[in-house]
Amino acid sequence: MHPLHLDQLRTLAAVVDLGSFEAAAGHLHVTQSAVSQRIRALEDSAGRILVRRDRPVTATESGETVLRTARQMLHLEESLSQEFRGAQTAAEPVVLAVACNSDSLATWFLDAATDVRSAGRVTFDIRREDESLSTDLLRRGEVMAAVTSQARPVQGCRSVPLGSMRYLACASPGFVARHLREGPTAALGRAPIVDFDRSDGHQNHHYRRVARREPTGPRHFVPSSHDHVRAIAAGLGWGLVPEQLATPWLVSGELSEVSPDRPLDVPLFWQHWKLQSPDLDALTAAVLDTARAELRT
C-alpha cells in the first residue's frame, strides 16, 4: 500500500460519516469531483474497494480498517495542532468519540467526562450503545474508546477492567402483590417484563439463573435508564435496575427486590486505541478513577 495522504483520509471519514459524496464535498468545501478523485486514489493505493456507493455510503470491511487508521491519524493531527497552538491560543477543541452504555451514562460515566472537559481542550461525541455491542463501533473506527462488556480487545486497542455494575431485580410492591404471590421463581417467568430495548438481555439472563429457562411474559420496551426505572416503579413489569439507580426507590419503598439474594454483576471494560494522545490518556485516567470509586471490584 502506498503512503496515506491526510486529505484522502479526511475525505473517507467525511463520506462515511455524512453518507454521500455530495455532503462530504460541502463539508470539506471542495467539489464533488474532488471527493470522488480522492476516494478513488485511496482505493487505488489500497488495492481494495473501500466504500459501497449506496445511499447512504457505507464502508466495506477493508474500508473500516482504513477508516480506523484514518481517524487515529486525524485525531493525532488535531492533538498536535493543539500542542503547537498552546493553551493560551484559541483553537478548535479536540473531539473525543466514545461509545457508552445507557446505564453507565446515567450513573458514573459523565462524572469522568466532566473531569476531562474542565481542562477546556475537548468536546465529546458520545454514542449510546449496549455494552455488548459497543466494540462494533470501535471495530468500524467510529469511536476511539468504549465502555464494553467484552474483555477481548479489538484489533489495535487495549482493554482495561473497570469493575462490575451490579443490577437488582426489582418490581413495585403493587406488582409483587398482583403477579408474584406464588414467589419469584414460579411467577417471574410469566409476569410482564420491562426491557430497556431489544438488545437488553439482563432480564432473560436473570431468569435463566433463577429458573433455568426463558421467561415468557409480555414485554415492554423503555429505552431510557431513568424512565426504565420509573416504568418498573409504576407497575408495568419487573426488570433489572442498576444498584445506583435502584437504591433511592428501594429506600422510599416504591420498589422492592424480587430476588434479593441473586444480584446480577456485569463486568465492564474500557477499550481504547493504542496511541499516544494526551486527551485520550486524560479521559482514560478519569474513567478508571471514576469507575474505581463507583463500580464493584
Side-chain angles (χ1 to χ4, degrees), residues 213-285:
R213 58 182 182 271
E214 296 291 331
T216 58
R219 311 187 89 102
H220 305 279
F221 298 97
V222 184
S224 158
S225 291
H226 291 289
D227 291 333
H228 183 254
V229 185
R230 290 179 58 217
I232 294 170
L236 284 183
W238 67 272
L240 275 290
V241 180
E243 184 177 39
Q244 297 98 317
L245 296 181
T247 297
W249 297 84
L250 292 169
V251 170
S252 70
E254 294 170 273
L255 283 182
S256 299
E257 280 194 73
V258 297
S259 303
D261 57 338
R262 301 298 293 270
L264 174 65
D265 289 338
V266 177
L268 296 177
F269 300 85
W270 177 245
Q271 292 207 30
H272 63 90
W273 288 348
K274 287 181 182 176
L275 54 77
Q276 295 297 315
S277 161
D279 301 300
L280 184 54
D281 290 347
L283 178 59
T284 294

Side-chain angles (χ1 to χ4, degrees), residues 17 97-101 105 125-129 137 142-143:
D17 286 347
V98 180
C100 185
N101 61 307
L105 272 176
D125 179 3
I126 298 178
R127 317 287 179 90
R128 190 180 66 185
E129 185 55 272
L137 299 181
E142 294 184 27
V143 298

Side-chain angles (χ1 to χ4, degrees), residues 83-119:
E83 293 294 326
F84 281 160
R85 288 190 181 101
Q88 303 305 316
T89 305
E92 289 293 320
V94 173
V95 178
L96 296 180
V98 180
C100 185
N101 61 307
S102 183
D103 289 337
S104 292
L105 272 176
T107 53
W108 65 271
F109 184 82
L110 287 180
D111 292 337
T114 301
D115 287 344
V116 176
R117 178 65 190 122
S118 63

